[in-house]
Amino acid sequence: MLLQAAANLNLDIHLLDPDPQAPCRALTPQFEVGSLTDEETVYAFGSRMDLITIEIENVNVRALERLEAEGKKVYPEPRVLRLIQDKRLQKQFYAEHNLPTAPFALIDHPSQLIKYTSWLPAYLKLGREGYDGKGVMRLSSPTDYARAFEAPSLIEQAAPVAKELAVIVARNAQGQTACYPAVEMVFDPQYNLVDYLLAPAQIDEATAAAAQALAVTVIEKLAMTGLLAVEMFLTLDGELWVNEVAPRTHNSGHSSIEGNVTSQFEQHLRAILNLPLGSTKTRSLAAMVNLIGAEGYQGTAYYQGLEEVLALEEVYLHLYGKTITKPGRKMGHITLTADSVEALQQKIAFIKKTLRVISQ
Amino acid sequence: MLLQAAANLNLDIHLLDPDPQAPCRALTPQFEVGSLTDEETVYAFGSRMDLITIEIENVNVRALERLEAEGKKVYPEPRVLRLIQDKRLQKQFYAEHNLPTAPFALIDHPSQLIKYTSWLPAYLKLGREGYDGKGVMRLSSPTDYARAFEAPSLIEQAAPVAKELAVIVARNAQGQTACYPAVEMVFDPQYNLVDYLLAPAQIDEATAAAAQALAVTVIEKLAMTGLLAVEMFLTLDGELWVNEVAPRTHNSGHSSIEGNVTSQFEQHLRAILNLPLGSTKTRSLAAMVNLIGAEGYQGTAYYQGLEEVLALEEVYLHLYGKTITKPGRKMGHITLTADSVEALQQKIAFIKKTLRVISQ
């Protein structure tokens, strides 16, 4: 999707990806296979570029710091990536800057957990290497401590969640910021991936304004260049707590392609190129459904029911070019627009009933 | 733009283009250089594909007919391309099917022109090889006959034009059709290219409905699969006359990317893949401005004033990846959306004053 947006700006993009079958390779002749976590690979690739950006946080930061020190533009800045790669540093950053977040404590060894039994239910999060629900464990009772991570982690009180929100905010090198309206996420309990997303979130105006203000504060405190997805909890008391941030285009921003004036992908490019940021105005109420590989199917993907879904009004299909499906794999998404939440929900229900990603 | 849309559908696209520097090569590793008018080149390329489509009419039709005879899907159908490649056949087709069009006569030799002096002012159009204003000559007085084309051509009475309209219509192999609202074109007199375009056209409802009905009739009479751009004159008497048609995605449809639910590029793909056609509903009033190489500049393109234009609200930039500018060359386009024609016109005026495609 970033390449689709980059084409409109005549950008000369080279890609580094560890997977020789990465879907992006179908969209560029300038594709290189290489490890994103190997310092020399990332450094050698970046040293041939003018500007380096990322689509995944798990990239070797030392290589990016060396490139930055040599005068390359690296956005988001490596120091931001270093902070965000470690959930412990991330939480400490919120605490230091008085950014509201769930109460937490650092855990260096599982034996320390017993001190926090009064916090249960709580979450235990690995400091590093967590991604898409991995590296997070729910602690319901002290018996769960036996399964606790051995590596440095943090315990976080379960927030009294009314809604989960996400706000995408951009900042360019001049310090201009532009913030999208908050979106509302509904999670699939089985895979802990976003199930569907409503944009904008169905929250009152004051909360919507507060969510945007909080996201702007976070990106300004980080002083980062690029796009930041700020995942938040709206608590039962009406407070907003920062959950996690991602310094890149994000699943929660996909509906911006059709739902907002400027897509998050173009906005990211505008931000890192230090161009004026685009309007984040809502064009239409929208929903986004992830297309996830069905349980029990592994192999060449087949999108059962796709024709019926494409016959719906205002349905935007985005397949990700992945050849192989497996249970829980994100294979694409569909954005829907409509005049009411009820109309969106009807279409979502139809899609969930009709469309399945199976193998041939 | 077709590749950008194709990526959303996981299509495996190979491209044939005579220009080793064709902009599309930046968007695919599956790019081949070869002549589109050489029968064996086109045939050899197509014989490795499942389905063949075109983005320019000037493709060797014999090769496409051979591919079709061997069972390949070729859309638009070669017989349609054969008809449209020859403006004389195209006009005769309109006459045979009672489709309203400007009065015309076939001219096999310039000496025949004297018979039509009472028609002046008129246009002389080459039967074959005309493109983007080339192969068309205005005849104002009999002295112009001396410059007339020697090759088979046609003379056409100048229509009493109130507005020039274009209607994009799609038809899939099942015969389903979907028609976009008419758009209104304003031409640049210097280059005879579309200067800007208003979508939808500012015409009364009855005329808008008649324009759509006429476009549907044309594609049904052609019985073609794919996308057809039907350029029409709205005469001073309020009649609609078919001017020319193009069986492909078309400059007059570019604003559909942002202005309509389904872009013409996705619609073309849906049509040729025999998928349900997408909604053509207008999302927003839109205008489209071509970015054309400025007079007096040839060389590596530089987009002077681009940052100021990107700072406008609701401005969508589409650069075409062309490295070299020259006077009159189409280098990209900008689509604008707004709530009123006046707001669009103000933005267009600002863009025309601010943005110039020059050389570095």
Side-chain angles (χ1 to χ4, degrees):
Chain A
M1 289 178 275
L2 199 59
L3 287 173
Q4 286 170 298
N8 291 337
L9 300 174
N10 277 6
L11 302 180
D12 181 26
I13 296 198
H14 292 245
L15 289 141
L16 179 67
D17 193 296
D19 179 2
Q21 303 305 323
C24 59
R25 73 172 302 165
L27 292 177
T28 177
Q30 303 183 144
F31 176 80
E32 297 176 36
V33 177
S35 165
L36 298 177
T37 52
D38 179 69
E39 180 173 344
E40 289 314 314
T41 302
V42 173
Y43 177 78
F45 177 83
S47 60
R48 287 178 278 120
M49 306 296 143
D50 301 312
L51 188 154
I52 299 99
T53 190
I54 53 110
E55 278 207 313
I56 186 169
E57 288 92 285
N58 194 17
V59 175
N60 187 283
V61 175
R62 281 186 304 275
L64 297 177
E65 285 169 339
R66 282 166 62 194
L67 292 164
E68 187 183 49
E70 290 170 17
K72 300 286 184 189
K73 292 175 180 166
V74 185
Y75 302 129
E77 291 80 357
R79 65 179 162 73
V80 174
L81 221 46
R82 187 175 282 289
L83 183 80
I84 284 166
Q85 283 179 354
D86 188 329
K87 290 199 174 111
R88 291 157 54 107
L89 295 178
Q90 203 182 128
K91 287 291 275 193
Q92 288 171 280
F93 178 86
Y94 303 146
E96 281 161 24
H97 291 87
N98 296 312
L99 295 164
T101 190
F104 71 99
L106 302 186
I107 300 294
D108 296 310
H109 189 271
S111 62
Q112 297 169 294
L113 285 169
I114 196 75
K115 286 196 285 181
Y116 300 99
T117 297
S118 68
W119 285 19
L120 300 187
Y123 290 94
L124 188 66
K125 296 182 173 182
L126 260 185
R128 298 179 57 83
E129 313 290 329
Y131 180 65
D132 259 358
K134 295 177 193 99
V136 176
M137 175 186 300
R138 189 175 165 91
L139 301 175
S140 302
S141 82
T143 58
D144 292 327
Y145 299 165
R147 298 180 297 113
F149 307 119
E150 296 291 330
S153 59
L154 65 92
I155 183 169
E156 185 180 278
Q157 275 194 277
V161 176
K163 293 196 173 195
E164 296 203 27
L165 308 178
V167 181
I168 306 271
V169 59
R171 185 173 174 278
N172 67 17
Q174 292 165 70
Q176 186 197 2
T177 59
C179 188
Y180 289 83
V183 303
E184 182 177 338
M185 292 177 290
V186 182
F187 278 80
D188 180 312
Q190 187 171 6
Y191 296 117
N192 199 26
L193 288 172
V194 174
D195 187 29
Y196 70 94
L197 173 150
L198 263 178
Q202 302 301 296
I203 52 180
D204 63 63
E205 270 183 48
T207 306
Q212 288 189 304
L214 180 55
V216 171
T217 302
V218 176
I219 203 168
E220 287 184 340
K221 296 281 187 200
L222 286 170
M224 71 159 271
T225 305
L227 214 64
L228 187 73
V230 184
E231 296 187 65
M232 299 177 190
F233 298 124
L234 174 62
T235 70
L236 295 171
D237 293 337
E239 289 178 11
L240 292 166
W241 291 1
V242 176
N243 178 20
E244 285 182 15
V245 301
R248 53 170 169 83
T249 56
H250 192 258
N251 192 257
S252 66
H254 287 351
S255 71
S256 63
I257 298 173
E258 293 88 7
N260 299 78
V261 169
T262 309
S263 82
Q264 67 165 343
F265 300 97
E266 179 174 330
Q267 193 76 303
H268 177 68
L269 296 170
R270 285 181 180 234
I272 65 177
L273 295 168
N274 202 18
L275 290 169
L277 298 177
S279 165
T280 59
K281 195 168 70 173
T282 297
R283 296 194 70 191
S284 170
L285 186 64
M288 191 278 290
V289 186
N290 284 315
L291 299 181
I292 293 178
E295 206 60 58
Y297 294 91
Q298 179 142 358
T300 303
Y302 174 70
Y303 298 84
Q304 191 180 53
L306 192 59
E307 286 202 25
E308 287 125 290
V309 167
L310 287 175
L312 292 175
E313 281 259 323
E314 299 183 50
V315 158
Y316 302 90
L317 178 68
H318 295 267
L319 298 181
Y320 296 165
K322 297 177 182 176
T323 310
I324 301 298
T325 184
K326 51 189 177 185
R329 190 174 194 203
K330 264 192 235 176
M331 302 298 288
H333 76 264
I334 290 179
T335 299
L336 312 144
T337 56
D339 293 334
S340 71
V341 174
E342 294 65 37
L344 288 175
Q345 284 169 338
Q346 276 176 19
K347 282 199 273 198
I348 291 168
F350 179 84
I351 291 170
K352 292 195 161 289
K353 192 179 67 188
T354 308
L355 184 59
R356 285 205 314 161
V357 188
I358 59 174
S359 50
Q360 282 176 323
Chain B
M1 290 178 276
L2 199 59
L3 286 172
Q4 286 170 298
N8 291 337
L9 300 173
N10 277 7
L11 302 180
D12 182 26
I13 298 199
H14 293 245
L15 290 140
L16 179 66
D17 193 296
D19 179 2
Q21 302 306 322
C24 60
R25 73 172 300 164
L27 292 177
T28 176
Q30 304 183 145
F31 175 80
E32 298 177 33
V33 177
S35 165
L36 299 177
T37 52
D38 178 69
E39 180 173 343
E40 289 314 314
T41 302
V42 173
Y43 176 78
F45 177 82
S47 60
R48 285 177 280 120
M49 305 297 144
D50 299 314
L51 187 155
I52 299 99
T53 190
I54 53 111
E55 279 207 312
I56 186 169
E57 288 91 283
N58 194 17
V59 175
N60 187 283
V61 175
R62 282 187 304 274
L64 297 177
E65 284 170 341
R66 282 166 62 192
L67 291 163
E68 186 183 49
E70 289 170 19
K72 299 286 184 189
K73 291 174 181 168
V74 185
Y75 302 128
E77 290 80 356
R79 66 179 161 72
V80 173
L81 220 47
R82 188 175 283 287
L83 183 79
I84 284 166
Q85 283 179 353
D86 188 330
K87 289 195 174 119
R88 291 157 54 108
L89 295 177
Q90 203 183 128
K91 287 290 277 192
Q92 287 171 282
F93 177 86
Y94 303 147
E96 280 161 25
H97 292 86
N98 295 314
L99 295 164
T101 191
F104 72 100
L106 302 184
I107 300 294
D108 296 310
H109 189 270
S111 63
Q112 297 169 294
L113 285 169
I114 196 74
K115 285 196 285 181
Y116 300 98
T117 298
S118 68
W119 285 20
L120 302 187
Y123 289 95
L124 188 67
K125 295 182 173 181
L126 261 184
R128 297 180 59 84
E129 312 290 330
Y131 179 63
D132 259 357
K134 295 178 194 98
V136 176
M137 175 186 301
R138 189 176 165 90
L139 302 174
S140 301
S141 81
T143 58
D144 292 328
Y145 298 166
R147 297 181 297 111
F149 306 121
E150 295 290 331
S153 61
L154 66 91
I155 183 170
E156 186 179 280
Q157 276 193 275
V161 177
K163 292 197 174 196
E164 295 202 29
L165 307 177
V167 181
I168 305 271
V169 59
R171 185 173 174 276
N172 68 16
Q174 293 165 69
Q176 186 197 2
T177 59
C179 189
Y180 289 84
V183 302
E184 182 177 339
M185 293 177 287
V186 182
F187 279 81
D188 180 311
Q190 188 172 6
Y191 296 117
N192 199 26
L193 288 171
V194 174
D195 186 30
Y196 71 94
L197 173 151
L198 263 177
Q202 302 301 296
I203 52 179
D204 63 61
E205 270 184 48
T207 306
Q212 288 189 304
L214 179 54
V216 171
T217 302
V218 175
I219 203 169
E220 287 184 340
K221 295 281 187 199
L222 286 170
M224 71 160 270
T225 305
L227 214 64
L228 188 72
V230 184
E231 296 187 66
M232 300 177 190
F233 298 124
L234 173 61
T235 70
L236 295 171
D237 294 338
E239 290 178 8
L240 292 166
W241 292 0
V242 177
N243 177 21
E244 286 182 17
V245 301
R248 54 170 168 83
T249 55
H250 192 257
N251 192 258
S252 66
H254 287 351
S255 71
S256 63
I257 297 173
E258 293 89 6
N260 299 79
V261 169
T262 309
S263 82
Q264 66 165 344
F265 300 97
E266 179 174 329
Q267 193 77 302
H268 177 66
L269 296 170
R270 285 181 180 233
I272 66 177
L273 295 168
N274 204 17
L275 290 169
L277 298 178
S279 165
T280 58
K281 195 168 69 172
T282 297
R283 294 195 72 191
S284 170
L285 186 63
M288 191 278 290
V289 186
N290 284 313
L291 299 181
I292 294 178
E295 205 60 57
Y297 294 92
Q298 178 142 359
T300 303
Y302 174 70
Y303 298 84
Q304 191 180 53
L306 191 60
E307 285 201 28
E308 287 125 290
V309 167
L310 287 175
L312 292 175
E313 280 259 321
E314 298 183 51
V315 157
Y316 302 90
L317 178 68
H318 295 266
L319 297 181
Y320 296 165
K322 298 177 182 176
T323 310
I324 301 297
T325 185
K326 50 189 177 184
R329 190 173 194 202
K330 264 192 236 177
M331 302 297 288
H333 77 263
I334 290 179
T335 298
L336 312 144
T337 57
D339 293 333
S340 71
V341 174
E342 294 66 36
L344 288 175
Q345 284 169 339
Q346 277 176 19
K347 282 200 273 198
I348 291 169
F350 179 83
I351 291 170
K352 292 195 160 289
K353 192 179 67 187
T354 309
L355 184 59
R356 286 205 314 160
V357 189
I358 60 176
S359 50
Q360 281 176 324

